[in-house]
Amino acid sequence: AALRTFDLVYMMTPLGGPGGSTTVPAYEIYQRAFHSGQVGSAAAIGVTITVLAFAVTYVITRIAGRETT
């Protein structure tokens, strides 16, 4: 859910809220890539999040597959 909330955070708090309290991973990637010019670290965060999402999905799929057979 945190990955899909970029638009809400960006529209309501364009600077990330007080002290960065409303920063979500997608917003952090956007800030680093387009405002700070840290494209490499933004890409690393994006790749890491993608790998973690695939890993969690794989584990859940394996567990769900065992229970149905």
Side-chain angles (χ1 to χ4, degrees):
L3 296 175
R4 296 182 296 188
T5 57
F6 171 78
D7 55 345
L8 296 173
V9 173
Y10 184 72
M11 293 306 293
M12 294 176 73
T13 57
L15 300 176
S21 62
T22 59
T23 301
V24 293
Y27 186 72
E28 183 66 28
I29 292 169
Y30 171 78
Q31 281 286 64
R32 286 184 186 228
F34 297 110
H35 289 282
S36 300
Q38 300 173 349
V39 178
S41 66
I45 293 170
V47 169
T48 303
I49 290 172
T50 302
V51 169
L52 287 173
F54 280 131
V56 168
T57 303
Y58 177 75
V59 169
I60 290 172
T61 303
R62 296 287 294 187
I63 291 171
R66 268 192 229 144
E67 292 177 2
T68 58
T69 57

